[in-house]
């Protein structure tokens, strides 16, 4: 037992401040020792990166210094091992200094300190060479743990003295350094700027020095522990006032204290997580409905009748009938359980029945949420909790889609073999409903104070329509608005990963604004700012357009709080019922602007996404008008009734914070590596393919990207053009298959004309760097717009132009003639070798074919003897074509894959007979042959067909 003395208690075995100094000295020795040894022994190797070496790059990064080279790696590992001892003691002393009875924060900060120590050991001793994935997991975990550790230490610092000042300076410098660090990393990785990595390295080293220095400040705090760590000031008993106390005392009458100045409750935290998961399930079902509906007109090539299922959302209209409203409000648990039928839909094999199952689930889900909000109008705290759950559920859905490259693992188009987690999602949903519906809604006896009659119910419903549509069409996937502003290479704006995390951060910031300052959220000033953002997104591209997108994201999330809260205090049938009804018309409106050639009245709204955006903001304006018409007296009553319940908000904000950290981690993991290698670089072969992917829905209504990936990989395609690839609309689930394919296959990607360009999509994937790309919308005076990508690739050091093109429909011959002339002149204008991957809608040697293959274009048909073609064609010039194959589609889509092989560095013959002379496969070098697995019956329904084997050319 430790001896006690009148002037203090013995707490530990030696002076506390020396723990900090030893920790600091040994930690710096680990990094600086490795740097000195590395520069001395391997300078030119450690400053070299994948693009440049000395003298363009002249200073090594931290990772290169402490990485896999001996002996600097060993120096680093040795000193880090020594550092672990004082590190554990430092964390322990900090806890002893800050711990107080019934205080949770010191325990949490200490846990974060231990977590960071352990994960530091993880990324130190598991190198990227040993296991790249686990190295990254440990590194990301360490970085994520830095934020709560840093903020927690500042909050627990003694409120007076130099320590807190130093911590604030060092923490501000640390987080401020992240901005230029990320900027120069992008300059290096994306733009390949010489010297950018050296600048990045300086900021990376600054992070290391600042991180260690932040913990060194504890030397000032630990002076209170003398000799065998004797506590002479009583600090370890919690007697000193800390920064958090001072802040909370000053802010005790403000919302911050009312939210965070409460004891932590695990049961309430679990309730919040359950509520949010219910919100996530709602958004998962709603976003899947459009995909299932889209399957039917897609295969019918026109209106099928199944489109009526979009009206599944109007179930809140039933709440206008008193008996039904009372029944639903009293049985919300049952209603929520019935809505989970959508999570079971993946077990239904029939596409029609699966659609009906999900339609029923959406019907019950909309009814349940509307009744929930209505029933809680008299309880502002619980109402806000449910609104928070619903909106954070949307953010959770976006984070999950960000992690799954725009897919959702609990969608009914997913199953185990294509990335689905349906059973897990269902189990969690059942637990969430059981947990979140334990408390019954209020009796409604005090609804009068809520101002239920204030403002127009109709205007409130129209406001909800604009809100629901804006959230669904723009924010249900973090990359939607990024693809609105995408204009091709070189990159001049955001990319889906990592910048999807920016969209998610803006959503979180908007929600916090709406929760903490509802008056600003419902103000006309913020409405004006949101409208400016909408205009910038609609009218501008690249960064300017994206800044507008972020403004709009903040606004939509902020205004959701007052609009839903206002609607809940009115007739649910006239607010939520009319809201979802008008939302459905907005969904159809935004489909009509692109599907105008196939729907009645379509030409009237052709290509008018601007009208859709204006209508959205006008509808939200109706809701704002209804919301601000509430009297100040009624608002004051609601505020006073809410104060006692405000602490519940903190748990929802904790979950929101976790989701933001997850999005940052996902962005890091998904950052493009740009180290892609073609399949046959030694033979200098380029293998190119064209495929119409039918919006990534297979014949049985399953998401098809996994099956597409497999066949593209097995065909060893270096370059592939994808048509009917634009999925960034509500009816297609706001997806982007190209993200999954590019990241999984290791390819550069150009998404093509964005979803606001009103095409069905054309995309390009390439193993070779895309030096430049331009998007074209070809003349289409009558029918659907014809998209094209003109890209220049760096293929084994030679610039090759690749065109990806989707022609207009058979029913519009004048459109196709104009498009033929446009594209032929475009191809003829390039002096470089070129390949066309296309969907032409013409017969070989007839009509427009003779313009595509002509002196105007300079292009040759990959196989003039292949008479059995109508849609897909591959043309080329300036290259030696060595092979051609046609591969069946299986059940993935309605169109085959056409593949061509080209020898880079060799020209085609000017004599047609010589150019088109065929040879046997045994005359072709092994590296220039097509894969054997597609011969005969092939694999998974894919086989060489039409000719039953590839064709090779001399």
């Amino acid at each position: 037992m430790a001896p006690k003395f009148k002037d203090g208690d013995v707490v530990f075995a030696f002076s506390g401040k020396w723990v900090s100094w030893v920790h600091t000295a040994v930690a710096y020795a680990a990094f600086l020792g490795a740097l000195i040894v590395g520069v001395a022994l391997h300078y030119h190797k450690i400053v070299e990166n994948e693009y440049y070496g000395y003298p363009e790059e002249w200073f090594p990064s931290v990772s290169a210094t402490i990485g896999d080279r001996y002996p600097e790696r060993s120096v680093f590992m040795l000193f880090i091992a020594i550092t672990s001892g004082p590190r554990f003691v430092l964390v322990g002393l900090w806890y002893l200094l800050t711990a107080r009875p019934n205080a949770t924060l010191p325990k949490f900060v200490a846990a974060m300190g231990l977590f960071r120590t352990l994960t530091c050991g993880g990324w130190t001793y598991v190198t990227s060479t040993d296991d790249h994935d686990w190295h990254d997991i440990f590194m990301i975990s360490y970085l994520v743990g830095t934020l709560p550790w840093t903020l927690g230490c500042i909050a627990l610092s003694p409120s007076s003295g130099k320590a807190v000042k130093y911590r604030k300076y060092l923490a501000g410098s640390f987080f401020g350094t992240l901005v230029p660090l990320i900027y120069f990393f992008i300059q290096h990785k994306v733009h390949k700027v010489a010297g950018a990595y050296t600048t990045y390295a300086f900021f990376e080293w600054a992070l290391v020095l600042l991180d260690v220095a932040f913990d060194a400040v504890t030397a000032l705090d630990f002076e209170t522990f003398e000799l065998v760590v004797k506590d002479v000031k009583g600090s370890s008993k919690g007697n000193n006032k800390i920064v958090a106390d001072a802040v909370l005392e000053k802010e005790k009458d403000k919302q911050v204290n009312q939210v965070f100045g409460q004891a932590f409750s695990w049961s309430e935290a679990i309730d919040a997580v359950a509520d949010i998961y219910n919100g996530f399930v709602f958004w998962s079902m709603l976003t899947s409905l459009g995909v299932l509906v889209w399957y039917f007109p897609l295969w019918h090539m026109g209106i099928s009748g199944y489109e009526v299922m979009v009206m599944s959302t109007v179930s809140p209209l039933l709440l206008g009938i008193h008996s039904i409203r009372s029944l639903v409000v009293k049985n919300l648990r049952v209603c929520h359980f019935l809505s989970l039928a959508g999570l079971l839909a993946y077990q239904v094999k029939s596409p029609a029945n699966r659609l009906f199952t999900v339609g029923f689930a959406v019907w019950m889900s909309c009814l349940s949420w509307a009744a929930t909000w209505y029933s809680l109008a008299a309880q502002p705290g619980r109402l806000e909790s449910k609104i928070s759950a619903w909106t954070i559920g949307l953010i959770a859905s976006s984070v999950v889609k960000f992690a799954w490259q725009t897919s959702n693992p609990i969608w009914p188009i997913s199953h185990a073999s294509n990335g689905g987690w349906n059973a897990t999602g269902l189990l969690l949903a059942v637990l969430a409903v059981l947990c979140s519906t334990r408390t019954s809604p209020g009796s409604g006896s005090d609804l009068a104070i809520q101002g239920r009659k204030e403002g127009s119910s109709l205007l409130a419903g129209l406001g909800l329509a604009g809100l629901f549509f804006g959230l669904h069409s723009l924010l249900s996937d973090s990359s939607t608005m990024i693809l609105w502003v995408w204009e091709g290479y070189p990159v001049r704006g955001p990319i889906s990963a990592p910048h999807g995390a920016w969209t998610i951060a803006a959503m979180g910031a908007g929600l916090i604004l709406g929760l903490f300052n509802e008056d600003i959220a419902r103000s006309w000033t913020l409405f004006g700012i949101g409208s400016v953002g909408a205009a910038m997104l609609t009218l501008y591209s690249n960064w300017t357009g994206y800044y507008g997108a972020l403004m709009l994201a903040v606004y939509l999330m902020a205004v959701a709080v007052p609009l839903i809260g206002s609607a809940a205090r009115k007739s649910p049938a006239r607010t939520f019922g009319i809201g979802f009804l008008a939302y459905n018309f907005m969904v159809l409106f935004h489909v009509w602007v692109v599907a105008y050639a196939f729907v009645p009245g379509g030409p009237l709204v052709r290509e008018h996404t601007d009208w859709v955006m204006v209508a959205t903001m006008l509808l939200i304006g109706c809701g704002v008008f209804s919301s601000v018409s509430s009297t100040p007296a009624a608002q004051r009553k609601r505020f006073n009734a809410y104060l006692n319940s405000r602490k519940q908000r903190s748990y929802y904000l904790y979950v929101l914070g976790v989701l933001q950290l997850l999005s940052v981690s996902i962005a890091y993991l998904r950052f493009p590596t740009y180290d892609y290698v073609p399949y046959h670089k030694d033979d200098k072969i380029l293998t190119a393919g064209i495929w119409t992917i039918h919006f990534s829905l297979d014949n049985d209504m399953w998401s098809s990207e996994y099956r597409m990936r497999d066949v593209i990989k097995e065909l060893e395609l270096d370059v592939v053009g994808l048509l009917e690839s634009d999925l960034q609309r509500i009816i297609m689930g706001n997806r982007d298959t190209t993200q999954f394919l590019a990241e999984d296959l290791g390819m550069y990607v150009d998404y093509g004309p964005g979803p606001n360009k009103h095409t069905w999509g054309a995309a390009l994937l390439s193993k070779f760097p895309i030096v430049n790309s331009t998007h074209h919308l070809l003349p289409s005076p009558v029918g659907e717009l014809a998209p094209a990508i003109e890209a220049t690739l760096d293929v084994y050091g030679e610039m090759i132009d690749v065109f990806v093109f989707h022609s207009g429909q058979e029913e519009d011959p004048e459109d196709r003639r104009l498009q033929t002339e446009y594209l032929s002149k475009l191809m003829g204008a390039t002096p470089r070798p070129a390949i066309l991957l296309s969907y032409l809608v013409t017969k070989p040697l007839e009509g427009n074919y003779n313009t595509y293959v002509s002196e105007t274009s300079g292009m040759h048909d990959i196989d003039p003897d292949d008479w059995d073609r109508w849609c897909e064609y591959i043309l080329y010039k300036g290259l030696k074509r060595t092979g051609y194959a046609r591969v069946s589609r299986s059940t993935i889509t309605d169109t085959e894959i056409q593949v061509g092989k080209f020898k880079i560095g060799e020209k085609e013959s000017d004599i047609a007979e010589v150019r088109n002379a065929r040879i046997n496969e045994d005359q072709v070098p092994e590296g220039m042959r097509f894969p054997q697995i597609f011969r005969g019956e092939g694999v998974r329904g894919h086989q060489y067909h039409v000719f039953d084997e590839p064709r090779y050319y001399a």
Side-chain angles (χ1 to χ4, degrees):
M1 185 173 179
K4 293 187 177 181
F5 300 90
K6 63 181 180 179
D7 57 343
D9 295 341
V10 175
V11 180
F12 206 67
F14 53 86
S15 178
K17 67 178 181 179
W18 290 109
V19 172
S20 302
W21 292 127
V22 170
H23 172 268
T24 304
V26 180
Y28 279 146
F31 287 97
L32 298 179
L35 176 63
I36 293 169
V37 174
V39 169
L41 300 180
H42 306 118
Y43 175 69
H44 288 283
K45 292 181 179 179
I46 63 176
V47 300
E48 184 179 351
N49 55 58
E50 65 265 48
Y51 303 126
Y52 302 101
Y54 182 84
E56 290 85 3
E57 307 289 2
W58 54 272
F59 195 77
S61 65
V62 175
S63 53
T65 301
I66 66 176
D68 295 329
R69 296 192 181 278
Y70 175 84
E72 49 264 50
R73 175 189 61 197
S74 301
V75 170
F76 176 72
M77 288 182 171
L78 173 64
F79 280 100
I80 285 295
I82 298 172
T83 306
S84 64
R87 177 71 196 174
F88 282 115
V89 176
L90 184 149
V91 173
L93 288 180
W94 182 252
Y95 173 72
L96 292 174
L97 179 70
T98 58
R100 294 175 296 163
N102 301 319
T104 304
L105 184 58
K107 296 183 179 67
F108 175 75
V109 173
M112 283 295 101
L114 292 174
F115 175 76
R116 292 178 74 242
T117 304
L118 295 173
T119 53
C120 176
W123 58 259
T124 297
Y125 294 100
V126 180
T127 67
S128 58
T129 302
D130 297 331
D131 192 315
H132 184 79
D133 291 339
W134 275 106
H135 177 81
D136 283 350
I137 290 171
F138 285 127
M139 177 62 77
I140 293 169
S141 300
Y142 178 84
L143 294 174
V144 168
T146 298
L147 181 62
W149 166 259
T150 302
L151 298 181
C153 286
I154 293 175
L156 294 173
S157 295
S159 56
S160 61
K162 296 183 290 185
V164 66
K165 179 176 67 174
Y166 290 151
R167 284 196 177 94
K168 289 178 179 179
Y169 288 158
L170 291 168
S173 300
F174 180 90
F175 292 113
T177 301
L178 292 174
V179 177
L181 178 93
I182 295 171
Y183 171 78
F184 283 105
F185 184 75
I186 292 174
Q187 291 296 304
H188 159 70
K189 200 72 174 178
V190 178
H191 302 292
K192 302 177 184 177
V193 175
Y197 199 67
T198 292
T199 308
Y200 160 82
F202 280 111
F203 287 108
E204 190 181 23
W205 279 101
L207 283 183
V208 170
L209 299 177
L210 291 168
D211 188 18
V212 176
F214 182 86
D215 292 331
V217 178
T218 55
L220 300 176
D221 302 302
F222 292 170
E223 287 179 348
T224 191
F225 296 133
E226 293 184 348
L227 296 175
V228 285
V229 189
K230 182 187 294 183
D231 185 356
V232 296
K233 297 182 180 180
S235 296
S236 64
K237 303 303 181 185
N239 297 329
N240 285 358
K241 181 176 287 188
I242 62 175
V243 170
D245 295 330
V247 171
L248 292 176
E249 178 68 25
K250 182 179 178 181
E251 306 287 331
K252 65 181 180 180
D253 295 324
K254 297 185 179 181
Q255 294 188 39
V256 172
N257 183 47
Q258 294 158 3
V259 171
F260 295 106
Q262 308 288 338
F264 186 85
S265 168
W266 278 107
S267 62
E268 292 182 358
I270 292 172
D271 286 345
V273 173
D275 273 351
I276 291 169
Y277 191 81
N278 284 337
F280 165 71
V281 170
F282 169 87
W283 282 106
S284 297
M285 289 301 97
L286 183 64
T287 52
S288 73
L289 178 64
V291 185
L292 303 189
V293 170
W294 172 241
Y295 170 87
F296 295 95
L298 179 62
W299 286 99
H300 285 80
M301 292 298 290
I303 293 179
S304 64
Y306 289 96
E307 292 81 3
V308 71
M309 293 303 295
V310 300
M311 291 296 169
S312 299
T313 60
V314 301
S315 54
L317 287 172
L318 294 178
L319 298 177
I321 303 172
H322 182 270
S323 58
I324 295 179
R325 181 170 68 243
S326 178
L327 179 66
V328 173
V329 169
K330 292 178 181 178
N331 296 278
L332 282 174
R333 170 173 281 187
V334 175
C335 293
H336 277 293
F337 266 125
L338 289 174
S339 71
L340 300 186
L343 298 183
L344 274 170
Y346 78 103
Q347 293 284 7
V348 180
K349 304 306 179 187
S350 164
N353 291 337
R354 204 182 323 157
L355 169 62
F356 295 145
T357 303
V358 173
F360 171 75
V362 171
W363 175 277
M364 293 306 304
S365 191
C366 292
L367 183 67
S368 302
W369 277 95
T372 298
W373 288 325
Y374 171 80
S375 68
L376 296 175
Q379 304 172 61
R382 292 183 62 195
L383 174 61
E384 187 197 86
S385 294
K386 296 298 182 181
I387 296 172
S388 298
W390 187 78
T391 48
I392 298 175
L394 172 62
I395 295 175
S397 174
S398 291
V399 171
V400 167
K401 291 183 70 182
F402 191 34
W404 264 264
Q405 290 119 328
T406 76
S407 184
N408 186 319
I410 67 171
W411 271 346
I413 60 172
S414 299
H415 49 68
S417 62
N418 69 357
W421 285 27
N422 308 79
T424 303
L426 176 62
L427 174 62
L428 293 176
V430 170
L431 296 175
V433 170
L434 286 172
C435 187
S436 64
T437 56
R438 288 179 301 172
T439 307
S440 60
S443 63
S445 60
D446 55 343
L447 293 180
I449 71 164
Q450 301 311 315
R452 193 178 281 282
K453 300 297 183 182
E454 298 163 12
S456 166
S457 296
L458 175 61
L459 291 179
L462 295 177
L464 289 181
L467 174 68
F468 293 161
F469 176 76
L471 294 176
H472 190 170
S473 64
L474 299 174
L475 299 183
S476 63
D477 185 82
S478 61
S479 61
T480 298
M481 295 189 294
I482 291 174
L483 295 174
W484 272 50
V485 302
W486 170 252
E487 289 292 343
Y489 288 84
V491 177
R492 301 180 293 275
I495 56 177
S496 298
H499 297 111
W502 292 25
T503 304
I504 293 169
M507 293 170 68
L511 178 58
I512 292 173
L513 173 62
L515 291 173
F516 280 91
N517 204 321
E518 203 171 314
D519 289 337
I520 290 179
R522 63 157 55 91
S523 69
W524 288 111
T525 300
L526 196 63
F527 174 79
I529 294 173
S531 298
V532 170
M536 292 172 63
L537 172 62
T538 305
L539 299 175
Y540 296 96
S541 300
N542 301 318
W543 285 113
T544 302
Y546 186 59
Y547 294 145
L550 295 178
M551 293 165 58
L552 183 57
V554 170
Y555 177 69
L556 288 174
M557 294 299 291
V559 81
V561 179
L563 290 195
I564 297 176
S566 173
R569 295 186 289 272
K570 302 176 176 64
S571 166
R574 288 198 295 268
T575 53
F576 298 107
I578 290 175
F580 275 116
L581 178 63
Y583 151 85
N584 288 337
F585 284 109
M586 287 298 296
V587 172
L588 295 176
F589 187 6
H590 107 296
V591 175
W592 252 237
V593 299
V594 65
Y596 54 83
F598 303 93
V599 294
L604 297 176
V605 295
R606 170 178 173 158
E607 300 178 55
H608 276 300
T609 290
D610 52 348
W611 291 4
V612 176
M613 188 65 79
V614 169
T616 301
M617 298 309 296
L618 288 177
L619 287 171
I620 292 175
C622 291
V624 171
F625 182 82
S626 176
S627 176
V628 299
S629 65
S630 176
T631 65
Q635 294 177 14
R636 206 161 41 247
K637 289 178 182 178
R638 290 194 291 273
F639 178 77
N640 292 333
Y642 172 51
L643 288 180
N644 292 332
S645 306
R646 181 158 284 169
K647 71 170 186 176
Q648 181 67 16
R649 180 190 288 176
S650 63
Y651 303 109
Y652 294 87
L653 295 180
Y654 293 149
V655 177
L656 178 60
V658 170
L659 290 172
Q660 298 296 336
L661 291 175
L662 279 175
S663 71
V664 172
S665 301
I666 294 163
Y668 176 86
L669 289 173
R670 289 189 56 195
F671 198 96
T673 59
Y674 299 121
D675 56 356
Y676 316 133
V677 179
Y679 288 100
H680 296 285
K681 62 177 183 179
D682 294 336
D683 298 293
K684 287 197 171 183
I685 288 292
L686 182 155
T687 305
I690 179 66
W691 200 7
T692 306
I693 61 173
H694 227 219
F695 305 98
S696 298
L697 274 182
D698 72 13
N699 300 7
D700 300 312
M701 204 163 75
W702 300 111
S703 184
S704 58
E705 62 265 23
Y706 277 69
R707 297 173 66 194
M708 290 165 52
R709 172 206 60 191
D710 292 342
V711 69
I712 290 173
K713 181 184 294 184
E714 289 161 351
L715 280 170
E716 300 177 343
L717 298 183
D718 299 308
V719 176
V720 57
L722 302 178
L723 304 175
E724 296 181 358
S725 57
D726 185 359
L727 317 180
Q728 283 289 357
R729 294 183 181 84
I730 287 177
I731 54 168
M732 301 159 190
N734 291 94
R735 297 177 292 151
D736 177 13
T737 298
T738 66
Q739 291 183 40
F740 170 78
L741 294 176
E743 293 177 28
D744 201 277
L745 294 170
M747 304 179 84
Y748 298 88
V749 58
D750 186 340
Y751 181 85
N756 56 337
K757 301 299 193 298
H758 316 102
T759 78
W760 296 121
L764 174 66
L765 297 169
S766 171
K767 287 281 188 180
F768 304 102
I770 304 175
V771 178
N772 186 79
S773 64
T774 304
H775 302 158
H776 299 270
L777 299 179
L778 276 62
S780 307
V782 178
E784 63 184 35
L785 286 181
I789 299 174
E790 177 188 8
T792 302
L793 311 183
D794 182 353
V795 183
Y796 306 120
E798 183 174 352
M799 297 296 115
I800 308 291
D801 285 348
V802 174
F803 298 86
V804 181
F805 168 61
H806 191 306
S807 174
Q809 317 164 212
E810 181 182 1
E811 294 81 359
D812 303 309
E814 179 62 13
D815 283 15
R816 289 189 288 111
R817 184 187 67 81
L818 294 173
Q819 293 159 11
T820 302
E821 293 178 353
Y822 183 103
L823 187 64
S824 296
K825 292 178 181 177
L826 190 65
M827 294 187 295
T830 178
R832 294 179 288 272
I835 301 171
L836 172 65
L837 307 171
S838 62
Y839 189 104
L840 299 184
V841 191
T842 185
K843 291 182 179 180
L845 308 178
E846 297 181 14
N848 291 329
Y849 173 94
N850 294 315
T851 306
Y852 287 117
V853 181
S854 65
E855 291 185 2
T856 301
S857 68
M859 305 294 281
H860 306 296
D861 190 347
I862 195 167
D863 188 349
D865 296 333
D866 184 4
W867 58 269
D868 187 17
R869 286 175 294 172
W870 171 249
C871 297
E872 293 180 346
Y873 285 81
I874 299 177
L875 309 181
Y876 71 101
K877 71 174 181 180
L879 293 166
K880 181 180 180 181
R881 164 220 46 197
T882 62
Y884 170 55
R886 298 175 65 174
V887 180
S888 60
R889 56 186 169 82
S890 184
T891 59
I892 293 179
T893 174
D894 62 350
T895 313
E896 67 176 0
I897 313 168
Q898 291 189 9
V899 186
K901 284 186 177 289
F902 302 90
K903 179 73 172 178
I904 304 303
E906 297 184 20
K907 302 292 185 181
E908 82 278 32
S909 172
D910 294 330
I911 303 172
E913 290 79 5
V914 176
R915 185 172 62 243
N916 297 320
R918 293 209 295 266
I919 59 176
N920 295 325
E921 186 174 75
D922 57 12
Q923 298 176 268
V924 179
E926 187 71 31
M928 298 169 62
R929 297 179 186 178
F930 285 97
Q932 297 296 310
I933 61 172
F934 297 102
R935 287 186 173 275
E937 294 185 358
V939 57
R940 301 183 310 279
H942 300 290
Q943 65 271 333
Y944 298 121
H945 72 154
V946 183
F947 325 126
D948 297 328
E949 63 179 1
R951 288 182 171 178
Y952 297 98
Y953 304 87

